[in-house]
Amino acid sequence: MDLKLEVIVLPVSDVDRAKAFYEALGFRLDLDRPVSEKWRAVHFTPPRSECSVMFGTGLTAAEPGSAQGLYLVVSDIEEARADLVGRGIDVSEVFHDAGGIIYHGHEAGDVVHDGGQKQERLAGPHPERASYGSFATFSDPDGNGWVLQEVTQRAPGR
């Protein structure tokens, strides 16, 4: 059986403001379909991604900003961060997690979970540039939290 994650629905409070943000981010606009005042779907796809995001009016009852831990995988974290900053996106500095190569925080970029032990962010990319080990975070205007993660070599089976 083929199962592919294709779309993630983001809860937003202002559809046009979110649309402008994701356009500035460099995502491709695939659809903006207003059906009525109570239903509108806006669909964007990140460059070279097979998974898209959708937001709008009447799509979800989730609270705006409640989507956290949305990962965008990049091959060069510093280059990706510089590109986003150049587009006017407020992106954290590049960091790595003191506990290893897995970043444990997602909520608006804050470290919030890992079984009760807070993990510490250390400045700069992972010292060995380990794949999956370097991060930067940003949020959309509603606070939906995104994580850039550098992956230079995929884990087996990916």
Side-chain angles (χ1 to χ4, degrees):
M1 171 184 353
D2 264 353
L3 297 175
K4 294 181 181 180
L5 180 62
E6 295 265 339
V7 178
I8 296 171
V9 177
L10 299 178
V12 302
S13 61
D14 182 322
V15 177
D16 290 320
R17 179 180 69 177
K19 181 180 176 184
F21 176 82
Y22 287 97
E23 285 175 330
L25 197 58
F27 286 20
R28 180 187 72 231
L29 176 63
D30 299 314
L31 172 81
D32 184 350
R33 182 161 298 152
V35 173
S36 70
E37 283 186 25
K38 295 185 178 188
W39 199 90
R40 176 182 175 191
V42 179
H43 186 274
F44 277 95
T45 303
R48 296 182 305 282
S49 179
E50 293 187 28
C51 186
S52 302
V53 297
M54 186 166 46
F55 52 85
T57 306
L59 298 181
T60 180
E63 287 294 317
S66 62
Q68 300 297 318
L70 302 164
Y71 278 66
L72 291 170
V73 171
V74 299
S75 59
D76 184 318
I77 192 80
E78 292 168 322
E79 181 181 301
R81 181 188 179 280
D83 180 69
L84 293 179
V85 168
R87 294 171 180 271
I89 308 299
D90 184 17
V91 184
S92 75
E93 295 295 326
V94 174
F95 65 93
H96 62 283
D97 192 308
I101 65 165
I102 303 297
Y103 173 51
H104 297 280
H106 300 290
E107 195 160 324
D110 294 329
V111 176
V112 295
H113 68 82
D114 78 273
Q117 295 180 334
K118 246 187 167 173
Q119 294 296 314
E120 182 183 359
R121 282 185 180 189
L122 300 178
H126 189 277
E128 298 162 15
R129 287 306 276 264
S131 200
Y132 300 94
S134 300
F135 308 92
T137 59
F138 66 94
S139 296
D140 74 9
D142 282 290
N144 293 305
W146 291 88
V147 178
L148 296 177
Q149 181 180 39
E150 184 176 76
V151 177
T152 55
Q153 183 175 357
R154 288 269 179 202
R158 296 279 335 257

